[in-house]
Each structure stands twice: as C-alpha cells, then as structure tokens.
Amino acid sequence: MAEEAARFAIDALAAAGIDGATVVELGCGSGQTAARLGEAGHEVIGIDSSPHMLTLAREAAPKARLVLGSIHATPIPPCDLVLAVGEVLSYRFPGDEDASATALLDRAVRALRPGGMLVFDVAAPGRASGRGHVLGDGWAVLVDAREDRAAATLVREIVTFRRMGDAWRRSDEVHRLALLSPSGLAAHLRRRGLSARILRGYGAGELGLGWRVIAARARGGVRRAARPRS
C-alpha cells in the first residue's frame, strides 16, 4: 500500500505540473512512502509520534526532514501536498482521543499552496472486523478486531510472537480507531473550496471493506515549483 500511495501521489503531482514539491506526510511511519517521494525529486517533511518509527524512517528516507510529534498538534508548514497513508486520521492515541479529523483537515487546507493537494485514507463504518493471523519465518501476528457501531470506533488487539533462540517473545498492542465518514469528510473539504473525490484505493486494487481514499485539490492554476539551487 505504501508503494501504491507513493505512486499515486507522484502521478498526481506530475499531472498538476508541480515539480520539486514540498510534501508533508502525516504519520510517516517507517518512511517507505517518503523514500519514494524523495527519489522522485520531492522534498518530504514527515511527522510521526513514534520515535521508533522515525528511527526506521531516517534509514529509509535519509533526505527527508522528520519531526517527532502528534499530527494533531505539530504545525503544518506551507506545502504542495499533505499526505496521510494507513488510516492515520482515524487513529486515536493517548492524549488525542478527542482530536477532530476535520480540525486537522482544516489546518492542512490552510497550509496548501494554490493548486495544492490533500490525499489520505480513513477507516469508515463497516471496516473489516474479526480474527486473523499472519505467519512468517520465526514470527506470527494475531489480530482480533471489533467494531462498535454505536460509538463509531474500531478496536484492534494485536499479539506478536517472535522466535528468540529456543524461546518466543510476545508483545501486545491495542489500536483504537475512529470510524470516519468518507462522504462527510469529502463534503467538509468541498465547503472549504476544494474539489474532492472518494476512491476505493490508491491504485487498481481496492483497500478493503470500509477503507476509503479521499483525494482533494485546492483551487489554483497549473504551476511548476522552483527547484532549489545547489
């Protein structure tokens, strides 16, 4: 998905005639998307609340400017594209349980230059629930996802096992996501003067049940961003 999202963003910037764009990636994670954008000649500013993820991102995208902080509180600088891949706007962490997705989108819209874009995906009502597992060589991941339709939330309990010599190490995580309305978010962006489309994925394939991409663009003519002189 990171590869498809990066390609989608790169193609969208090219279609808009924006070279050497400034891209702000909210929840940049391990830096895979930032790395592809950087290879395509774009400047990436990544924001993530996990120091461990930023350590991985520095290895994957050494030219990106990485910022440790909450996406709901860290300032978004002027840019040509705001990108958030992997249900980033849906996640709720301790301290930002009441954070508003629309307030974050408003900050992103204000940061966009004329003709700039906003691309993100969200978990929506109906997001796939149930139990599943993934097995690898020396590791296993078990997931139990439960949707609370009344509260419009999804809770994922994730247990990871990793072989360590003759023993196994276990780690437990709980992910809480707000289930957001794609049509409501798209309408909100249109009221802010952007065009907005709801897509089933970043490429030819679909992301899955209750998982949608929103691609929006601010008003403004085609332009080409000036590349910094070396």
Side-chain angles (χ1 to χ4, degrees):
M1 185 186 65
E3 294 283 350
E4 289 184 349
R7 175 49 54 192
F8 182 95
I10 291 167
D11 290 347
L13 288 167
I18 303 176
D19 295 330
T22 299
V23 179
V24 175
E25 185 178 7
L26 305 176
C28 62
S30 61
Q32 299 305 310
T33 305
R36 301 299 172 266
L37 286 161
E39 291 167 1
H42 303 298
E43 177 190 5
V44 181
I45 301 168
I47 302 171
D48 203 286
S49 61
S50 168
H52 303 294
M53 282 295 184
L54 289 183
T55 297
L56 297 174
R58 289 188 183 95
E59 296 178 1
K63 293 184 179 179
R65 179 152 60 96
L66 303 175
V67 180
L68 176 65
S70 166
I71 62 172
H72 295 283
T74 303
I76 302 175
C79 58
D80 303 289
L81 170 65
V82 176
L83 183 65
V85 180
E87 304 173 316
V88 169
L89 269 66
S90 294
Y91 268 91
R92 294 294 178 264
F93 297 101
D96 65 7
E97 293 89 349
D98 297 326
S100 166
T102 53
L104 175 57
L105 291 178
D106 286 346
R107 292 173 51 232
V109 169
R110 289 194 293 270
L112 291 179
R113 294 167 179 154
M117 288 169 283
L118 177 57
V119 177
F120 60 96
D121 59 82
V122 294
R127 183 76 175 97
S129 301
R131 294 181 176 180
H133 66 272
V134 182
L135 302 177
D137 184 13
W139 59 268
V141 178
L142 291 74
V143 180
D144 184 5
R146 303 182 305 278
E147 179 179 355
D148 183 340
R149 297 208 171 193
T153 59
L154 181 74
V155 177
R156 291 193 187 113
E157 295 184 354
I158 303 173
V159 181
T160 303
F161 293 94
R162 182 180 178 187
R163 186 184 294 277
M164 306 292 291
D166 295 330
W168 289 83
R169 184 175 68 183
R170 169 176 171 163
S171 62
D172 295 77
E173 300 179 27
V174 177
H175 295 190
R176 293 179 173 83
L177 288 79
L179 298 176
L180 306 173
S181 166
S183 60
L185 295 177
H188 180 85
L189 292 172
R190 293 181 188 118
R191 288 193 293 270
R192 298 298 185 269
L194 282 72
S195 61
R197 297 178 295 152
I198 301 174
L199 308 171
R200 292 183 176 273
Y202 288 106
E206 296 187 11
L207 287 179
L209 185 66
W211 196 358
R212 294 292 180 263
V213 173
I214 297 177
R217 188 178 180 194
R219 294 172 182 170
V222 174
R223 64 176 184 77
R224 294 193 175 272
R227 291 181 180 273
R229 296 183 179 180
S230 58

